[in-house]
Amino acid sequence: MNRWYCAYTKPRAELWARTNLWERGFEVYLPQYLKRRRHARRTDYVAAPLFPRYLFVAANLDAGVSRGITYAPGVSNLIAFGGDPAPVPDAIIAELRAHEDDDGMMDIDRGRGIVSRYQLGDKVRISEGPM
């Protein structure tokens, strides 16, 4: 049975890692958003990873495919706790996907997205989960 895992990528190699994992037959999810970029008095928007250096991979690690993930170009390793790769609950992936627009981008900068209820400097308390 496939479960979701979080892979840690090399710096700025999320898209490369995603492509290499797809080519190896894995289902890969890389949440992205449109990041505002300013350069030379010009502003535009570019796709950027929601979680820099991280992406999600669906795999059955009981079948011994973890090497296929960790040896893929662009991937550093799988996130693990106590030496074992930590599965990501399906509900988290579903919640992230529920906040994507029609183009598959997260809406976080325009006040309607998942982080719009927080402002820079707000204090948050994590009450459950791995953090």
Side-chain angles (χ1 to χ4, degrees), residues 21-34:
L21 288 166
W22 272 345
E23 289 174 351
R24 292 171 184 233
F26 293 103
E27 182 180 358
V28 184
Y29 177 53
L30 176 62
Q32 294 182 304
Y33 73 103
L34 288 176

Side-chain angles (χ1 to χ4, degrees), residues 16-87:
W16 186 40
R18 179 181 68 178
T19 300
N20 287 314
L21 288 166
W22 272 345
E23 289 174 351
R24 292 171 184 233
F26 293 103
E27 182 180 358
V28 184
Y29 177 53
L30 176 62
Q32 294 182 304
Y33 73 103
L34 288 176
K35 178 180 180 180
R36 187 172 65 181
R37 178 176 64 175
R38 294 178 62 191
H39 180 68
R41 289 177 269 149
R42 192 180 65 172
T43 300
D44 62 352
Y45 289 87
V46 294
L50 184 63
F51 308 111
R53 294 194 71 181
Y54 295 94
L55 54 80
F56 300 99
V57 182
N60 181 358
L61 295 189
D62 294 333
V65 297
S66 63
R67 280 188 151 174
I69 297 170
T70 57
Y71 287 163
V75 176
S76 291
N77 56 16
L78 288 172
I79 301 302
F81 296 108
D84 295 324

